[in-house]
Amino acid sequence: MAQEATQLVFGDGSPDADIVFIGEAPGKNEDEQGKPFVGAAGKFLNEMLAGIGLKREDVYITNIVKYRPPNNRDPLPDEKTAFLPFLHSQLEVIKPKLVITLGRHSMDSLLPGLQISKCHGQPKRYKGQVYLPLFHPAAALYNGGMRQTLIDDFASIPRVLDAIQ
Ligand code: URA
């Protein structure tokens, strides 16, 4: 996978962030620019952040898998497992109040056994960390119902953050 990628896409944003967003894997634009969520899904993510008064620089954004999978295929279970220690190290350094998983790949890696259709928008405390599983912006972008659900779930972020001790 590394051989076929242009570069490693590590993460973007503030190391002091209260919120860390975790997507799936870099796509074509991310692979070219070396930053996560800079394509169409990233634009939608930026708009939703602006909707709750946040800029990208206020949060930290990364992916479970840090190289672009060839032809944008889904990341393989082994690939997700291989990158997990790096994600945990990022979280140890940043120590966010809230970890927001985007889509099922990052959710499955961090919160095993959940179904995104049932648990999206519901905060979960797991091993001392508060998580909020959300739909993936790329999946929601062109699906009217899912798009509105994601926007509504996003609107709950400030309340969820405030409620964390
Ligand atoms: N989708 C992701 O999951 N991550 C990115 O960085 C871009 C699109």
Side-chain angles (χ1 to χ4, degrees), residues 1-60:
M1 150 181 268
Q3 292 79 355
E4 288 144 296
T6 307
Q7 57 190 319
L8 185 121
V9 180
F10 188 71
D12 188 29
S14 168
D16 297 321
D18 281 343
I19 307 175
V20 171
F21 288 88
I22 307 174
E24 176 181 328
K28 188 171 186 295
N29 295 289
E30 291 76 21
D31 177 66
E32 284 167 5
Q33 296 182 40
K35 283 189 179 182
F37 284 96
V38 290
K43 190 165 169 277
F44 184 30
L45 181 61
N46 292 347
E47 285 167 15
M48 289 189 290
L49 282 170
I52 55 168
L54 292 174
K55 294 197 278 296
R56 277 177 79 104
E57 304 83 77
D58 300 324
V59 300
Y60 191 84

Side-chain angles (χ1 to χ4, degrees), residues 119-130:
C119 70
H120 69 86
Q122 296 167 24
K124 308 261 173 232
R125 193 179 278 273
Y126 182 65
K127 295 187 179 171
Q129 174 69 59
V130 181

Side-chain angles (χ1 to χ4, degrees), residues 46-138:
N46 292 347
E47 285 167 15
M48 289 189 290
L49 282 170
I52 55 168
L54 292 174
K55 294 197 278 296
R56 277 177 79 104
E57 304 83 77
D58 300 324
V59 300
Y60 191 84
I61 304 173
T62 187
N63 286 300
I64 170 73
V65 166
K66 298 188 188 341
Y67 283 117
R68 181 192 184 201
N71 304 313
N72 287 353
R73 63 158 167 72
D74 277 0
L76 303 173
D78 279 359
E79 292 167 344
K80 290 188 270 185
T81 306
F83 278 108
L84 199 52
F86 297 98
L87 183 59
H88 281 304
S89 298
Q90 285 173 296
L91 295 176
E92 262 167 48
V93 170
I94 300 170
K95 293 194 178 27
K97 283 188 179 168
L98 179 63
V99 172
I100 300 184
T101 57
L102 299 170
R104 69 186 163 84
H105 288 284
S106 60
M107 185 189 74
D108 286 347
S109 299
L110 294 162
L111 297 166
L114 296 181
Q115 253 179 288
I116 186 92
S117 56
K118 294 200 179 132
C119 70
H120 69 86
Q122 296 167 24
K124 308 261 173 232
R125 193 179 278 273
Y126 182 65
K127 295 187 179 171
Q129 174 69 59
V130 181
Y131 294 89
L132 183 68
L134 297 185
F135 285 130
H136 194 290

